[in-house]
Amino acid sequence: MATPQPNLDKKSTNELNLSVLQRFDPDVEDVLVTAGHVALYALNTECMQWARKNVEGSMFVVKRRSQPRFQFIVLNQRSTENLVQDILGEFQCEVSKPYLFYRNNGEVSGIWFFNETECDEVVALIQRIQGMFKTDTGPLVKPKLEMPHHAPLAAATAYPPAAPVSQPVPPPPSHGTPIDINVLLGRAPPTPSAP
């Protein structure tokens, strides 16, 4: 006979999550939003292909007592190394459900969300936080990712990240058909220049 799971309300669940996160980072003050299951992918800029990273688990957007004030944390179920990213400063993001694509410290990554509603909630919160901390030159969240010149994504083609095997996923694109990275990132493709 299966052991019954405890019935925790939302407040109890948040308190439990906060205590777990504070074991890893005592400066975590509050859990702002949670995504139950995500997986991380990284863009290899040399071959313009997505590669699944060894990071998968629950994601938390947190407020901290010290700098950096806002981060997201993925409590990794695949290894002891958790993913921690600051969401102010260099962080830029775009969404193409069920993926959140972001660039931070020059690296382009994608997060696959099992639940698209959680993807919407995370993106909305990140954009709201970044909007509150605008600089004189404008918001920290750019409408489109601006890639460095040494990583020209405008002409790249790549396959989208594959979702974790343990979770149901939307149907993949037709086999063998490359997808333009501009489509993945929600941009119009560049117009070809005359030879």
Side-chain angles (χ1 to χ4, degrees), residues 55 77 79 86 109 123 133 142 191 195:
V55 176
Q77 297 173 346
S79 80
D86 302 336
S109 300
V123 170
F133 292 91
K142 308 290 189 243
T191 54

Side-chain angles (χ1 to χ4, degrees), residues 42-78:
L43 181 65
N44 179 331
T45 56
E46 291 178 13
C47 64
M48 296 307 189
Q49 295 287 319
W50 290 99
R52 184 166 177 191
K53 304 305 278 182
N54 196 31
V55 176
E56 184 177 330
S58 296
M59 178 180 186
F60 304 90
V61 178
V62 300
K63 179 179 177 184
R64 301 178 72 249
R65 291 182 188 92
S66 61
Q67 293 297 331
R69 290 286 287 160
F70 298 95
Q71 295 179 322
F72 73 75
I73 301 169
V74 176
L75 291 182
N76 196 358
Q77 297 173 346
R78 301 182 125 229

Side-chain angles (χ1 to χ4, degrees), residues 34-166:
T34 302
H37 189 84
V38 301
L40 179 70
Y41 296 83
L43 181 65
N44 179 331
T45 56
E46 291 178 13
C47 64
M48 296 307 189
Q49 295 287 319
W50 290 99
R52 184 166 177 191
K53 304 305 278 182
N54 196 31
V55 176
E56 184 177 330
S58 296
M59 178 180 186
F60 304 90
V61 178
V62 300
K63 179 179 177 184
R64 301 178 72 249
R65 291 182 188 92
S66 61
Q67 293 297 331
R69 290 286 287 160
F70 298 95
Q71 295 179 322
F72 73 75
I73 301 169
V74 176
L75 291 182
N76 196 358
Q77 297 173 346
R78 301 182 125 229
S79 80
T80 57
E81 196 169 314
N82 297 320
L83 173 67
V84 179
Q85 292 286 314
D86 302 336
I87 58 176
L88 293 176
E90 300 285 319
F91 189 89
Q92 297 175 335
C93 67
E94 289 184 14
V95 67
S96 179
K97 291 190 285 186
Y99 299 100
L100 164 65
F101 296 101
Y102 70 92
R103 183 171 71 117
N104 201 11
N105 300 320
E107 293 182 12
V108 178
S109 300
I111 297 176
W112 174 84
F113 287 78
F114 173 70
N115 182 325
E116 286 187 17
T117 302
E118 292 174 342
C119 179
D120 290 336
E121 292 169 357
V122 167
V123 170
L125 178 62
I126 288 172
Q127 290 176 340
R128 196 169 83 218
I129 290 168
Q130 290 180 325
M132 292 181 343
F133 292 91
K134 290 180 182 178
T135 63
D136 291 340
T137 58
L140 295 173
V141 176
K142 308 290 189 243
K144 298 293 179 191
L145 288 177
E146 297 174 9
M147 299 301 149
H149 296 299
H150 66 276
L153 297 182
T157 58
Y159 293 96
V165 177
S166 60

